Amino acid sequence: MKVLVTGTAGFIGNALALRLLERGDEVVGIDNLDPYYDVELKKARLARVADHPGFTDLRIDIADRDAMAAAFAEHRPQRVVNLAAQAGVRYSLINPHAYVDTNLLGFVNILEGCRHNDVEHLVFASSSSVYGANTTQPFSVHHNVDHPLSLYAASKKANELMAHTYANLYDLPVTGLRFFTVYGPWGRPDMALFLFTKAILEGKPIDVFNYGHHRRDFTYIDDIVEGVIRTLDRVATPNPDWSSAAPDPGTSRAPYRLYNIGNQQPVELMRYIEVLEECLGRKAEKNLLPLQPGDVPDTYADVEDLVRDVDYLPRTTVDDGIARFVAWYREFYEV
């Protein structure tokens, strides 16, 4: 297939592009190399796919309406995976406009491109952050998620609503994927594992929020990518049993589906740090801090729908995943 992937210099987008190319698909990659974090790392990721004959690299901001329309019209992708976004819960408290520009304006440009160019299936990244104030666990796509705790979470919930509208109005098959705390080699420098590793190796203290009592459904990058590919290959269809009298948030009478992709094994942050210390052979000096605004204390994915529909359950343990990250980090940064 010809698949348009946005965010191909990003953590998940780059790993996905590599897998698609390896299985024989053609990938049209879009990224603007946003300087939110280290652009050199993004360039290093792109180097993994740049020379592949099936890869086309487009330097476009998804918020650029004309450029996106031209890219869709020229390349005519069969399927689309949107992984480009302004990421980060805490940064959304500092720079909210970045989330509106990329996550809302950019996403409507993608929806319009799909609508006007006969795209067979749009898969887009949502987030576990949409569960917000929910406390019933494990989190299910069939739960109501109307109480986000950050603008980032609200923008991802908005993406789900926008996608449903296009599925309903234009019969565009769409699938939203709620990712749960993705980590692994080539990861984001603004996330805990990267920050902790760098600080520990430099002999600096690490900031541990919520006094280390967070529980996160940490999900390894390869497991995320496998879930994306399996859902991409299964075009969303209407739920024939959907009832307007008892509406199910995870499906629709339109071709719309939502899935959690999580490890379904929450780990307390302190245990996560212990595994990292074991892999590094060093102890961390911890700066214990209260829960940050916008953060949720715990995440725990119900992946029953993913297992039922695409026969997939993430399996990588944090022990294996962190060890692989540390090996990559030491090699990449020569430390």
Side-chain angles (χ1 to χ4, degrees):
M1 296 186 294
K2 179 184 280 190
V3 185
L4 187 150
V5 179
T6 68
T8 42
F11 179 27
I12 303 172
N14 186 253
L16 174 66
L18 192 59
R19 279 285 302 280
L20 291 172
L21 291 166
E22 287 172 348
R23 78 170 191 172
D25 291 327
E26 184 178 347
V27 174
V28 178
I30 288 178
D31 206 289
N32 69 340
L33 293 180
D34 180 88
Y36 169 64
Y37 63 78
D38 184 15
V39 172
E40 293 307 311
L41 175 59
K42 294 184 177 185
K43 290 178 179 177
R45 291 189 190 127
L46 278 178
R48 300 200 296 164
V49 295
D51 294 332
H52 196 287
F55 184 68
T56 301
D57 187 21
L58 303 180
R59 195 66 62 244
I60 295 173
D61 186 332
I62 63 169
D64 185 333
R65 184 192 305 182
D66 293 340
M68 288 297 291
F72 270 92
E74 178 181 353
H75 295 281
R76 305 286 297 187
Q78 293 161 273
R79 300 189 185 182
V80 175
V81 183
N82 178 47
L83 297 169
Q86 177 57 62
V89 169
R90 293 167 191 158
Y91 186 63
S92 67
L93 279 65
I94 300 169
N95 188 3
H97 293 286
Y99 293 77
V100 173
D101 293 343
T102 301
N103 299 4
L104 300 182
L105 295 178
F107 191 61
V108 81
N109 291 338
I110 289 162
L111 289 168
E112 281 289 285
C114 292
R115 169 194 172 192
H116 292 294
N117 293 278
D118 301 316
V119 168
E120 300 169 355
H121 191 197
L122 166 64
V123 173
F124 65 96
S126 186
S127 167
S128 62
S129 67
V130 300
Y131 290 102
N134 287 25
T135 55
T136 300
Q137 294 191 359
F139 293 148
S140 168
V141 295
H142 306 293
H143 292 166
N144 177 286
V145 289
D146 285 343
H147 298 88
L149 298 179
S150 68
L151 185 63
Y152 170 70
S155 74
K156 289 300 187 178
K157 170 63 175 174
N159 286 172
E160 295 177 0
L161 296 173
M162 294 159 72
H164 181 270
T165 302
Y166 274 68
N168 179 65
L169 289 174
Y170 309 115
D171 204 32
L172 170 67
V174 297
T175 297
L177 303 177
R178 293 174 178 171
F179 298 146
F180 280 68
T181 315
V182 190
Y183 74 102
W186 299 96
R188 278 175 30 208
D190 63 319
M191 295 191 71
L193 182 58
F194 213 112
L195 292 169
F196 290 169
T197 300
K198 184 175 187 293
I200 293 170
L201 288 174
E202 293 176 354
K204 297 178 181 177
I206 61 174
D207 289 339
V208 181
F209 294 102
N210 200 29
Y211 307 103
H213 300 311
H214 276 76
R215 291 171 73 247
R216 288 287 181 267
D217 209 340
F218 296 103
T219 311
Y220 189 65
I221 181 62
D222 292 356
D223 292 346
I224 290 286
V225 169
E226 182 66 26
V228 174
I229 287 177
R230 292 203 187 198
T231 52
L232 177 66
D233 289 345
R234 186 184 190 276
V235 177
T237 57
N239 176 5
D241 299 321
W242 194 85
S243 168
S244 57
D248 169 22
T251 64
S252 175
R253 65 186 176 194
Y256 172 86
R257 296 281 165 153
L258 291 175
Y259 295 102
N260 290 329
I261 304 184
N263 209 43
Q264 207 170 248
Q265 296 181 44
V267 175
E268 191 171 75
L269 183 57
M270 280 301 193
R271 174 57 189 157
Y272 195 67
I273 294 169
E274 285 174 6
V275 175
L276 177 59
E277 290 172 328
E278 291 165 7
C279 291
L280 292 172
R282 301 188 188 186
K283 285 290 185 181
E285 180 186 344
K286 303 176 187 71
N287 183 22
L288 300 178
L289 298 167
L291 186 69
Q292 287 282 95
D295 278 359
V296 298
D298 304 305
T299 64
Y300 179 6
D302 178 341
V303 295
E304 181 180 330
D305 289 42
L306 189 72
V307 174
R308 183 194 65 228
D309 290 350
V310 300
D311 191 27
Y312 185 61
L313 176 65
R315 290 290 190 189
T316 306
T317 66
V318 292
D319 299 73
D320 289 340
I322 290 175
R324 294 173 197 168
F325 171 81
V326 168
W328 168 80
Y329 187 96
R330 286 189 178 279
E331 180 181 1
F332 187 77
Y333 289 103
E334 299 179 345
V335 293

